[in-house]
Amino acid sequence: MNDAKSLLRWGWLFGCWFAVMPAQAEYGDVILNKYAELRGMRPVIFPHWFHRIRFRCKVCHNGKEDGYGFIMRAGSNDINMAKIVDGRYCGLCHNGEIAWSPENCDICHSGLPGLQPGIQRGHETKGPAK
Amino acid sequence: MRYCYAFLLLTMLAQAAWAQAPVDARRRALEQKRDFVVNMVQQSAGAQRVEASDNQEAKQLLAEARTSLAKGRVALDGGDMKAADDMFGDALRKMSKAARLVPDMAAEEDEKRVRFNKTLQEIEGFQAAYAGSMQRLGAESSAAALGQISEFVTRAKGLAADGKWDEANEVIGSAHGIIINAMSKLMATKTITYEMVFDSPKAEFEYELKRNQSYEELVPMALANFRPPDEVVKRVEEFLGKGQELRTTAKKQAAAGDYQAALESLQTSTGFMQTAVEQAGAMMQQ
Amino acid sequence: MGRLHAWIGILVLAALPWLGACSERQLARIAFDRAPPPSLPDPLREKLTERKPVDVSRQWLPLSRDGLHDPANPWLKFKQQPVEALSLLPPDPGVGNQVLWVDAIEDGYINPRTSFTEQDPDGMLVMDMDIMRVNTSIMPMVKFPHRAHTIWLDCDNCHRNNIIFKPQRYGTKINMFMVLNGEKCGQCHGAVSFPVTECYRCHSVKRTGIIR
């Protein structure tokens, strides 16, 4: 009976270990959740690395305002679906011509519930990632 | 034993029930998509612009979008999820294309104006810097380039005053390009060092004195923070004493007018102060 | 008998993740069996046959387990996994995305577009000019390379609204506090470029003379 008990205990420990393994977002991922979760969608996760491979910084961060470009500060761009469909912000490319169109909701809206907006994986300072 | 099997059975039933939940979730997701497409196609700013415009292609696309939406609704009510999703997607794509064919002129003009002003401000900043750099680097004056830029800027301002933002931005863009190229050529492959430039040796001495004192202020803080053993505190105070002595010497030399020697003494004094802080425990790397 | 119970318990525990995955697979199946949406051709996929992954010392979490993405999202399979692309780029183990982005461009691994559409290339104005910042107290001096930055950025990304390079003596205020707070260099370094904990990448020039 003792063997069985200790076996069970090890089993539980093993299971608990996997339950609490740390998970870390990819560096530079931006979470957009000003409106998404309020409207019943998952938060949006924007991966910088994927876009960096394909575009230089200045293409999106082109100094234009009002959605014709992105301001280089998480939280400074008021993005919503209406503007995207209208061809601003993400819609500058995600319009079915340069990249896929916003009908594919859950490719962008792919975050876990409750994520706080901001940019991920900064260093341990008060930098923009905090 | 019974309980074990009951538990297993319960797990399997739960799994089966959980597998059903997604179908409802999918329907809800599609309904949400439908509501979103309705909003875009009927009420959005883009739809209103298209309706108010003369662009026949855009109007055609909008009409097709609305038809697709209607078809999608029918499919959703009939339970055909895939067809509904396809129709909603088609409606959204057509709507987006229509909206992009009829851009928001007011917003665009706004944006052009803001961009013009920003570029202008930037050019003005660069012009001043260019003049400064030319002086420092000893290059022959490129009066031609500067003259051309001024000419472009004047012309651009004139166009802007008339509200011709597209042309104004083009002209100021050219001016911007000229100044950038000029600066690039001037400074290419050079290294510019930004360091402190003092008006007089006296000013430099004052500055270095302040720096010296700032390190001295750190010593009690470091001691309070790191609380090293007594021998270390003794050593710290020794270094502090040496630093203070040298500082007094430096002040005397400065008062006598020998700033070169004064600065040297002060530098050594600062070195002792830094050592004192390091000994107290604050890691300082070089 | 007790031992049998114990084994059944452990088997159930071990089977739970598989049971969870079953539902996830069912969810994935009902995502309309849609083909992946059309997108830009993947610039690295063409090179997959040419280049082997550069080293194996870097690990990237799969998207479903990165604590950010919802693993129950049936569309997650359409997002590219970081390891697929980043393992092909010059390594920078443990730092940021674990990729040397400047080297990636300069050595030809990637050639990101300079404008939205390929048909209208804007070009980059690359300026090769270094700025030495000498007022770094006892830390080595900072050498700021314009070249590495101008292959990614436009002048006005930094020289805008007199943020940097105010044409005045001591006009531009920069110090480590500001950088650590996300201003000036910290706007990107710590967010998208390598973090500011990599001190000696910037503080790279040892001083030999007067320490200021």
Side-chain angles (χ1 to χ4, degrees), chain C residues 73-90:
Chain C
N73 177 7
W75 297 85
L76 194 56
K77 65 184 180 185
F78 290 134
K79 278 187 116 163
Q80 187 178 40
Q81 299 289 341
V83 67
E84 287 171 24
L86 301 180
S87 60
L88 301 172
L89 300 177

Side-chain angles (χ1 to χ4, degrees), chain A residues 49-60:
Chain A
W49 63 267
F50 183 91
H51 293 79
R52 250 190 120 159
I53 293 175
R54 294 156 171 78
F55 294 94
R56 315 255 169 165
C57 315
K58 69 139 185 176
V59 178
C60 301

Side-chain angles (χ1 to χ4, degrees), chain B residues 7 25 46 55 67 69 80 87 115 140 153 164 173 177 182 205 212 215 224-225 258 260 275:
Chain B
F7 176 64
N55 193 322
T67 322
L69 171 63
D80 189 352
M87 286 290 111
R115 191 155 39 108
E140 319 93 59
V153 167
K164 301 199 183 102
F205 183 77
N212 181 292
Y215 279 113
N225 204 358
D258 186 1
Q260 183 67 15
T275 314

Side-chain angles (χ1 to χ4, degrees), chain A residues 66-83:
Chain A
D66 254 354
Y68 297 101
F70 288 86
I71 297 178
M72 234 184 217
R73 177 70 70 184
S76 302
N77 301 288
D78 190 28
I79 306 178
N80 60 41
M81 281 313 296
K83 291 182 192 172

Side-chain angles (χ1 to χ4, degrees), chain B residues 136-174:
Chain B
R136 248 183 303 136
L137 295 170
E140 319 93 59
S141 92
S142 184
L146 281 174
Q148 206 176 12
I149 293 165
S150 306
E151 195 197 306
F152 277 7
V153 167
T154 323
R155 195 162 19 127
K157 281 187 182 164
L159 285 164
D162 287 335
K164 301 199 183 102
W165 295 108
D166 274 330
E167 289 131 1
N169 270 320
E170 218 183 289
V171 176
I172 203 122
S174 308

Side-chain angles (χ1 to χ4, degrees), chain B residues 1 7-8 11 15 18-19 22 26 81-82 85 121-122 125-126 128-129 180-181 183-184 187-199 204 208 211 215 267 274 284-286, chain C residues 1 4-5 8 12 16 19-20 22-23 26-27 30 32 34 125 127-135 137-140 155-156 159-161 165 167 169-170 200 206-207 210-212:
Chain B
M1 197 58 199
F7 176 64
L8 264 171
T11 325
Q15 206 262 331
W18 192 17
R26 196 177 34 153
M81 307 285 191
K82 184 160 185 353
D85 189 54
Q121 199 183 34
E122 219 179 286
F126 278 143
I180 300 264
N181 271 306
M183 292 194 73
S184 247
M187 299 198 269
T189 71
K190 291 197 170 50
T191 301
I192 294 189
T193 309
Y194 277 75
E195 50 179 358
M196 299 295 283
V197 171
F198 297 102
D199 289 321
E204 188 171 358
E208 287 297 323
R211 261 197 57 211
Y215 279 113
Q267 283 291 314
Q274 284 173 339
M284 291 192 168
Q285 303 166 47
Q286 165 56 320
Chain C
M1 215 47 192
L4 179 60
H5 291 183
I8 291 176
V12 167
L16 278 176
L19 291 171
C22 266
S23 299
Q26 285 194 318
L27 283 169
I30 63 166
F32 313 127
R34 192 194 268 259
L125 195 88
M127 178 147 90
D128 190 2
M129 191 257 282
D130 295 338
I131 304 255
M132 285 286 290
R133 301 259 0 164
V134 163
N135 281 18
S137 180
I138 45 169
M139 285 293 278
C155 308
D156 84 323
H159 296 290
R160 173 194 76 234
N161 296 341
F165 195 42
R169 205 209 271 182
Y170 314 136
Y200 297 111
K206 281 198 181 286
R207 56 180 77 246
I210 288 185
I211 296 176
R212 279 212 208 281

